[in-house]
Amino acid sequence: MGLKAGIVGLPNVGKSTIFNALTKSAIPSENYPFCTIDPNVGIVEVPDKRLADISTIFNPKAITPATVEFVDIAGLVRGASKGEGLGNQFLSHIRDVDAILHVVRSFEGNNITHVEESLDPVRDIETIETELLIRDITSIDKRFEKLQKNARIGDKDAKKELLVLDIILPKMNEGILVHDIELTSDQRILIKPLSLLTDKPTLYVANVDENEIMSEQRSVGLQKLFDFSEERGNAAIRLCGKLEAEISNLQDEERVFFLEEYNLHEPGLDKLIHASYDLLGLETFFTAGEKEVRAWTVSKGISALQAAGEIHSDIERGFIKAEIYSFAELMQFKSEAALKEAGKIRQEGKSYIVQDGDVIFFKFNV
């Protein structure tokens, strides 16, 4: 599976600047609303040093990293759910993503217009999320009409879904996001096909200035955003879009010195992807051989059989067993032959739960 993340926010919060830095693209990022109309898409390699380390041992013909797809969605404004600022068109672009990266302006700047005319990150988040919620309520109202007709003629699935909608709609009308409504796993599965905007996990990305990013302690205003995020059960990170734009244009050696100068432990791309993986409960396993060393993104808790299906349906269908060792073990013993001699290559069946960093060889027969 690949991670697909939609970047949203008010106009002029730095979404396109951050997107450009992450994807090394060159889309416009001028200082006016609706500069971005069609969603821009960038495919980015997941930074994972383990992939290079494994490749030094196998010396493969090809190295294939896992990827993340970033979708830069045009700035939303108050009233977007009613069509303000081409809002309906923009909101529809969010339905297809796995997670929302909500960029929030957390820097002052008289030369960059703020659409709300003042700096208040929590207010800005609530503005966007209110628009997403209104759009979801409209979608559910339409869905109700269809389900009620089907339920009258005895459609059992329609009746089950109606029961869930009866739970969530009153709470949504009270301003509660679907993500925050307590439901069973079965109930969430029933509404998953609706792709509700407020049911998607969200990472708040605070776009801060250079002083804030260099400080070990968050400012009072930024701490309010992080407290709000924790209350919502979401995640938050801080990035400096201006610095990330500069970092993206540097050579590797220059990048290291730049990060040290600003007391940054890793580039924003790495930080953003790692936070997104944690948010969605994702991990990485590897396949390795002389032809190719490859990283695969999967959900935590996935079985060996399901992991085989991520590679190819034939491997899943003809699954016999999985030969597995860990990345740490490979680094210790330096070769598969040494691992085998030490008895470190395990034979696992269909129900084995894949662990982050597993190196797997699937045996199958179709």
Side-chain angles (χ1 to χ4, degrees):
M1 63 179 292
L3 168 60
K4 187 174 183 179
I7 304 176
V8 306
L10 291 169
N12 296 341
V13 297
K15 291 187 305 81
S16 294
T17 298
I18 290 174
F19 177 86
N20 288 347
L22 296 178
T23 62
K24 297 183 181 178
S25 299
I27 62 167
S29 55
E30 282 83 358
N31 175 29
Y32 57 88
F34 315 126
C35 175
T36 308
I37 296 178
D38 293 323
N40 296 282
V41 179
I43 307 295
V44 177
E45 296 180 359
V46 174
D48 194 329
K49 185 178 179 297
R50 295 175 298 180
L51 190 66
D53 290 340
I54 295 171
S55 298
T56 59
I57 292 173
F58 285 89
N59 193 26
K61 294 179 180 178
I63 302 172
T64 307
T67 59
V68 174
E69 183 175 342
F70 288 113
V71 183
D72 179 32
I73 297 165
L76 299 169
V77 294
R78 194 183 301 276
S81 58
K82 299 176 182 177
E84 291 294 328
L86 301 179
N88 285 327
Q89 179 182 344
F90 297 167
L91 286 168
S92 66
H93 296 147
I94 306 174
R95 295 208 178 277
D96 295 332
V97 302
D98 303 307
I100 292 175
L101 307 182
H102 188 157
V103 178
V104 188
R105 178 170 169 175
S106 303
F107 64 89
E108 297 285 358
N110 295 330
N111 61 326
I112 301 179
T113 306
H114 193 299
V115 292
E116 296 286 353
E117 300 182 354
S118 64
L119 189 65
D120 187 339
V122 172
R123 176 206 59 203
D124 293 349
I125 289 173
E126 291 177 329
T127 295
I128 295 294
E129 292 185 341
T130 296
E131 297 304 323
L132 301 183
L133 188 60
I134 293 171
R135 180 61 180 267
D136 278 349
I137 290 172
T138 301
S139 298
I140 288 180
D141 284 338
K142 292 178 181 177
R143 181 69 176 164
F144 249 113
E145 296 176 12
K146 181 178 180 180
L147 290 174
Q148 285 173 333
K149 290 179 182 177
N150 292 342
R152 288 192 206 102
I153 58 175
D155 187 328
K156 293 182 179 179
D157 290 336
K159 291 178 180 179
K160 289 179 182 178
E161 188 177 332
L162 274 173
L163 289 174
V164 182
L165 299 189
D166 280 332
I167 294 171
I168 66 173
L169 188 56
K171 294 184 181 295
M172 293 170 71
N173 282 318
E174 293 173 7
I176 301 174
L177 307 184
V178 177
H179 179 264
D180 299 333
I181 298 173
E182 188 173 340
L183 295 172
T184 67
S185 56
D186 288 341
Q187 288 171 330
R188 289 217 176 269
I189 289 171
L190 280 172
I191 62 172
K192 187 175 181 179
L194 299 179
S195 295
L196 296 172
L197 307 178
T198 59
D199 195 29
K200 297 181 183 294
T202 299
L203 173 66
Y204 300 128
V205 182
N207 188 11
V208 303
D209 61 23
E210 294 99 320
N211 292 330
E212 178 69 46
I213 201 68
M214 291 176 66
S215 174
E216 292 187 5
Q217 289 190 328
R218 302 176 192 130
S219 64
V220 175
L222 189 62
Q223 187 59 49
K224 288 181 181 178
L225 187 156
F226 275 75
D227 291 342
F228 176 84
S229 172
E230 187 174 347
E231 290 171 7
R232 281 284 171 88
N234 289 323
I237 62 171
R238 57 180 179 175
L239 292 182
C240 177
K242 182 179 178 182
L243 290 184
E244 293 302 329
E246 294 182 42
I247 290 171
S248 68
N249 292 316
L250 298 176
Q251 298 298 319
D252 290 343
E253 190 174 325
E254 294 176 313
R255 187 175 295 135
V256 172
F257 289 119
F258 192 94
L259 291 171
E260 289 177 352
E261 181 181 350
Y262 283 92
N263 195 31
L264 299 175
H265 302 295
E266 58 184 347
L269 169 63
D270 299 30
K271 188 176 184 179
L272 187 59
I273 290 178
H274 293 154
S276 299
Y277 266 50
D278 289 341
L279 180 70
L280 290 170
L282 302 177
E283 63 184 12
T284 302
F285 78 87
F286 303 93
T287 51
E290 293 180 357
K291 289 185 177 180
E292 181 186 44
V293 170
R294 182 164 182 165
W296 302 86
T297 300
V298 293
S299 298
K300 290 180 181 179
I302 197 172
S303 69
L305 182 64
Q306 292 169 314
E310 291 290 333
I311 298 175
H312 199 284
S313 58
D314 284 349
I315 301 177
E316 181 177 21
R317 183 162 52 90
F319 183 99
I320 299 173
K321 63 181 177 180
E323 294 184 347
I324 301 174
Y325 52 87
S326 71
F327 166 77
E329 290 168 335
L330 179 62
M331 292 300 100
Q332 179 184 352
F333 288 90
K334 304 302 181 184
S335 74
E336 281 192 333
L339 283 165
K340 188 173 183 179
E341 186 176 340
K344 295 296 183 180
I345 300 180
R346 310 186 307 277
Q347 309 291 321
E348 300 287 358
K350 296 178 180 180
S351 60
Y352 169 79
I353 301 302
V354 174
Q355 302 298 308
D356 184 63
D358 277 348
V359 183
I360 307 177
F361 175 73
F362 294 100
K363 290 194 171 182
F364 68 103
N365 183 29
V366 291

